[in-house]
Amino acid sequence: GLSAFPWLLHSARRGNGDTFSIPHRAKRKKRRRKKTPADNIFVGKAKKRRKRAECDIMSAKGMKSRRKPERGCGMRQRMGSLLWRSLGVLLALVVLFQVAFLLYFRDFYGSAEKAFWVPGLSGEFVPQGMDRLQGGFVLSGYLAGSGAARLYLVEADGSARLIRLRTKSGHTLISHAGGVAVSGSFVYLAGGNGQCYVFAMEDVLDPRQTAISVVGSFRTGNRASFCCMWGQSLLVGEYAYGQRYRTADSHHLTTPAGDRNTALVTAFPVDGEAPLGVSERPEAAYSIPERIQGMSFSADGRVILSASSAFGASQMYLYDFGGVLADRQGIVWIDEAPVPLYYLDSDNCTGILHMPPHAEEITFRDGKLYILFESASRRFQYGKLVGGSYVYSLSLPEVIQEVL
């Protein structure tokens, strides 16, 4: 009878009189069936439900968990997942922008060479002007936050030295410092306010100087946005574009070719006897198109204008300067004095080169055109993704063959 109910007893007696133990039901091992793939799915879902439940507020029934749940951790997980997805999308957009940009301007990047790194871009420096100085370059610009004017001397090995600029009274020079030009014993800086500031060359070249003062200035008869040297003349030009950068009405001229020019370049002859190295009375004026950021002259008799604005590609306009000088068309009045006037228009334009956006001043030396960009400055930033942190050089004869 006992053998029929073994779970009721902990022991029993064998037929020979020996006793043996009968395991209690609680001590018996439970028989488990083998798990199927479907069971694994259900178990995984159950684990997810338990984990999700631990992240929620415990119910009013007082259900207990082995670890204390944290309020809102589910929301944090979802926000983290969303953040990583957003970063992935942003990275994909950046890569797409780089590829599209480099492909669009592949002709420029295929023929241009990186000349040197532009200093100051990790700070607030916005590069504007450039000229050759001895074996290196001098760059001009301003700080995006304060507007303080700055110069950088870039040596042939790529090293750079910062020079802060001051007024005659010793205060920081606040100016939308534009182009810079070197001639003889002076360095000229277009002030962006109708003034050209002059600095002593010996102060600029002195490695002990970290800040130098203006030795003088003169009125240019225009907004004074850029400048360059041509022969024995200092040329100072202005930037014009829309109402924000509107120039004087007397500078809005219709050229013989029917073009509408809105800016003016004034030329000041070099004068070794003058206190500032040039005569302060202009000897000639040149009517130019809008959006011009820089000017230079090639060895083959061409004048090159750099054009750009906040949006869109930059252009390099090439003109036959001999033809420009041969076609004098009249006069323009500057400071109540008549000045011979010449036009740079489509009749003398020999080609247009298309460049990446935000090209600034240019300079031509040793058969190469050097181009400065401001796209990598703090104002725009995107240039750091597409090589805008460098000054590029182009072999002008090769570029002329690729004119569009």
Side-chain angles (χ1 to χ4, degrees):
L2 292 177
S3 61
F5 306 98
W7 55 86
L8 298 178
L9 300 176
H10 289 277
S11 64
R13 188 179 299 276
R14 294 181 184 275
N16 57 4
D18 298 332
T19 59
F20 63 95
S21 298
I22 301 175
H24 192 271
R25 182 178 182 182
K27 296 182 179 181
R28 294 178 184 176
K29 293 182 179 180
K30 295 181 180 180
R31 295 181 180 179
R32 298 180 180 178
R33 64 184 182 87
K34 294 181 179 180
K35 292 183 178 181
T36 64
D39 292 331
N40 293 333
I41 296 176
F42 293 133
V43 170
K45 290 184 177 180
K47 288 182 178 179
K48 290 181 180 179
R49 286 195 296 269
R50 285 197 301 270
K51 187 174 182 180
R52 194 177 297 118
E54 290 176 352
C55 293
D56 294 334
I57 303 174
M58 298 183 65
S59 65
K61 294 182 179 180
M63 296 181 63
K64 296 182 179 180
S65 175
R66 290 186 178 180
R67 70 180 179 89
K68 187 177 179 180
E70 299 179 2
R71 183 183 298 271
C73 65
M75 176 62 71
R76 287 198 296 271
Q77 289 180 351
R78 290 190 287 272
M79 290 297 295
S81 176
L82 180 61
L83 177 61
W84 281 109
R85 291 179 182 177
S86 300
L87 290 176
V89 172
L90 179 61
L91 179 60
L93 291 176
V94 169
V95 173
L96 181 62
F97 168 77
Q98 287 179 308
V99 172
F101 191 96
L102 295 176
L103 283 176
Y104 188 82
F105 295 104
R106 60 185 179 273
D107 291 339
F108 170 79
Y109 289 107
S111 57
E113 297 179 355
K114 293 179 179 178
F116 61 90
W117 179 273
V118 178
L121 295 178
S122 59
E124 296 185 345
F125 181 64
V126 182
Q128 297 290 291
M130 174 178 59
D131 197 7
R132 292 295 298 267
L133 179 58
Q134 296 185 344
F137 291 82
V138 56
L139 303 183
S140 61
Y142 61 92
L143 299 186
S146 63
R150 293 287 190 266
L151 290 180
Y152 275 98
L153 292 188
V154 181
E155 303 295 342
D157 60 0
S159 61
R161 178 168 65 91
L162 168 64
I163 302 177
R164 295 174 174 84
L165 304 181
R166 296 174 178 171
T167 63
K168 281 187 175 182
S169 59
H171 296 91
T172 299
L173 177 61
I174 305 299
S175 168
H176 187 99
V180 63
V182 176
S183 176
S185 301
F186 299 98
V187 174
Y188 301 93
L189 177 69
N193 54 1
Q195 296 283 329
C196 181
Y197 297 104
V198 186
F199 300 87
M201 179 68 74
E202 60 181 357
D203 292 341
V204 174
L205 295 178
D206 188 350
R208 299 169 299 177
Q209 297 278 12
T210 59
I212 61 176
S213 297
V214 172
V215 298
S217 64
F218 60 91
R219 293 175 53 84
T220 62
N222 53 25
R223 293 171 57 93
S225 305
F226 59 89
C227 60
C228 71
M229 296 300 302
W230 173 69
Q232 294 298 307
S233 297
L234 170 68
L235 277 65
V236 183
E238 63 184 351
Y239 180 84
Y241 190 56
Q243 292 298 321
R244 183 177 181 182
Y245 301 101
R246 184 175 178 80
T247 55
D249 291 341
S250 60
H251 301 177
H252 295 215
L253 303 171
T254 301
T255 73
D259 304 337
R260 187 64 175 172
N261 287 353
T262 57
L264 205 66
V265 174
T266 48
F268 301 88
V270 173
D271 184 354
E273 302 297 327
L276 300 179
V278 296
S279 172
E280 298 182 25
R281 189 179 188 86
E283 63 177 351
Y286 303 90
S287 176
I288 60 173
E290 64 179 7
R291 300 173 61 246
I292 302 304
Q293 299 273 15
M295 185 176 189
S296 190
F297 294 82
S298 67
D300 59 0
R302 295 175 183 269
V303 58
I304 310 162
L305 300 182
S306 167
S308 69
S309 56
F311 304 100
S314 304
Q315 292 80 35
M316 297 292 157
Y317 296 108
L318 307 178
Y319 296 89
D320 177 12
F321 196 56
V324 172
L325 297 178
D327 296 334
R328 176 184 170 184
Q329 298 295 328
I331 61 172
V332 61
W333 291 83
I334 299 177
D335 293 336
E336 300 182 353
V339 177
L341 176 66
Y342 303 88
Y343 293 96
L344 278 71
D345 60 12
S346 55
D347 280 349
N348 295 304
C349 183
T350 60
I352 303 175
L353 313 177
H354 296 277
M355 305 277 178
H358 298 110
E360 288 294 318
E361 197 162 47
I362 54 178
T363 185
F364 188 89
R365 291 292 187 277
D366 303 325
K368 289 185 178 294
L369 178 68
Y370 292 84
I371 308 168
L372 175 68
F373 294 91
E374 67 172 343
S375 58
S377 66
R378 185 166 293 185
R379 287 188 60 193
F380 304 103
Q381 295 285 357
Y382 77 89
K384 295 178 181 178
L385 302 174
V386 292
S389 301
Y390 291 89
V391 167
Y392 287 84
S393 64
L394 290 169
S395 179
L396 194 57
E398 295 178 4
V399 174
I400 292 176
Q401 295 174 2
E402 298 177 1
V403 171
L404 299 180

